[in-house]
Amino acid sequence: IDKLAEEAKKIIGKPKVPIAEIHKNPKDPLYSMFINHLLKPQEYSASLPSHTFVFRKDHVIELAKECLTILQSQPMIVNLRTPVKIFGNIHGNFLDLMRFFDLWKAPIENSSGGDIDSFAYLFLGNYVDRGSRSLETICLLMSLKLKYPESIYLLRGNHEDRSINSVYGLGEECATRLHEDINDPASAFQDLNNTFYWMP
């Protein structure tokens, strides 16, 4: 029993980057900051408390608006190239998403160990709610959509709806982790939902 506490420390580990160090490099696109910090399938652990979110609210808002621009420029009927990997119902379970990417490769360049040059990625919606990491999940997926707009496809699930995600998790997560009033039209919650409405 005494060894269990030590074993847990080995499995969980410590966060590698202090919260204060997550900043946007003005020379890089915004999505790079999210991808560089979040897309680490072999390194990610759920060690940070679920209330900790290392990105600023204004960055989430800007990311949502940039993704909205891409979605508005693309048709509602998705024409996929094959082969394609299909992912469904992540529901804020960011650790599961990292496990998928660790087991079956991630949507990054082939030269970096990924397979985005060979595969399209189709996500079937329900990115948020229920799990404790909806913000990480949707921010990473929107960032990937921005970087690879013709290879990443984000369909809208029933939880990408303001009336549902205000009750089942995303609303509370934005309120507690981003310290915002989700009813404020200038909130990240509202901008995320505005983006969801344009998903095919």
Side-chain angles (χ1 to χ4, degrees):
I1 300 239
D2 295 336
K3 294 180 180 179
L4 289 177
E6 292 303 314
E7 290 299 316
K9 288 178 186 173
K10 290 178 190 174
I11 293 170
I12 294 173
K14 295 181 180 176
K16 297 193 184 307
V17 181
I19 291 170
E21 290 186 20
I22 305 299
H23 295 290
K24 180 185 181 304
N25 182 338
K27 296 179 182 177
D28 292 335
L30 178 65
Y31 63 73
S32 293
M33 176 184 68
F34 285 95
I35 292 173
N36 291 340
H37 182 72
L38 293 173
L39 189 55
K40 298 180 178 180
Q42 296 176 343
E43 297 175 33
Y44 179 77
S45 76
S47 60
L48 289 175
S50 61
H51 67 272
T52 302
F53 187 65
V54 297
F55 301 102
R56 294 189 343 223
K57 174 179 144 178
D58 60 315
H59 287 150
V60 176
I61 290 171
E62 186 181 345
L63 183 73
K65 288 181 177 177
E66 288 182 14
C67 189
L68 174 62
T69 302
I70 293 291
L71 291 169
Q72 288 175 329
S73 72
Q74 294 184 326
M76 278 290 151
I77 305 288
V78 176
N79 190 5
L80 293 173
R81 67 178 172 88
T82 56
V84 61
K85 293 182 180 182
I86 302 173
F87 297 83
N89 292 342
I90 300 166
H91 278 301
N93 292 303
F94 189 72
L95 184 56
D96 289 348
L97 183 61
M98 290 300 98
R99 285 181 183 142
F100 291 147
F101 289 163
D102 187 29
L103 289 171
W104 294 294
K105 294 193 177 181
I108 55 176
E109 288 77 12
N110 292 20
S111 61
S112 299
D115 59 6
I116 196 70
D117 302 324
S118 307
F119 285 86
Y121 281 70
L122 175 64
F123 295 89
L124 299 179
N126 295 328
Y127 313 113
V128 300
D129 295 341
R130 298 187 180 150
S132 62
R133 307 265 185 201
S134 292
L135 285 170
E136 284 88 348
T137 301
I138 194 58
C139 285
L140 177 59
L141 293 177
M142 287 191 307
S143 297
L144 291 168
K145 177 65 179 173
L146 285 165
K147 185 170 185 182
Y148 308 110
E150 301 301 326
S151 297
I152 301 288
Y153 299 92
L154 304 177
L155 300 186
R156 183 179 179 194
N158 65 309
H159 283 262
E160 281 70 57
D161 183 278
R162 188 178 281 109
S163 65
I164 294 176
N165 60 43
S166 63
V167 176
Y168 287 97
L170 180 64
E172 181 181 352
E173 193 172 328
C174 288
T176 57
R177 299 178 79 201
L178 296 177
H179 312 289
E180 67 176 10
D181 174 4
I182 65 168
N183 296 311
D184 180 351
S187 67
F189 175 79
Q190 297 295 337
D191 275 303
L192 287 168
N193 277 287
N194 291 341
T195 301
F196 295 159
Y197 288 147
W198 281 88
M199 289 178 174

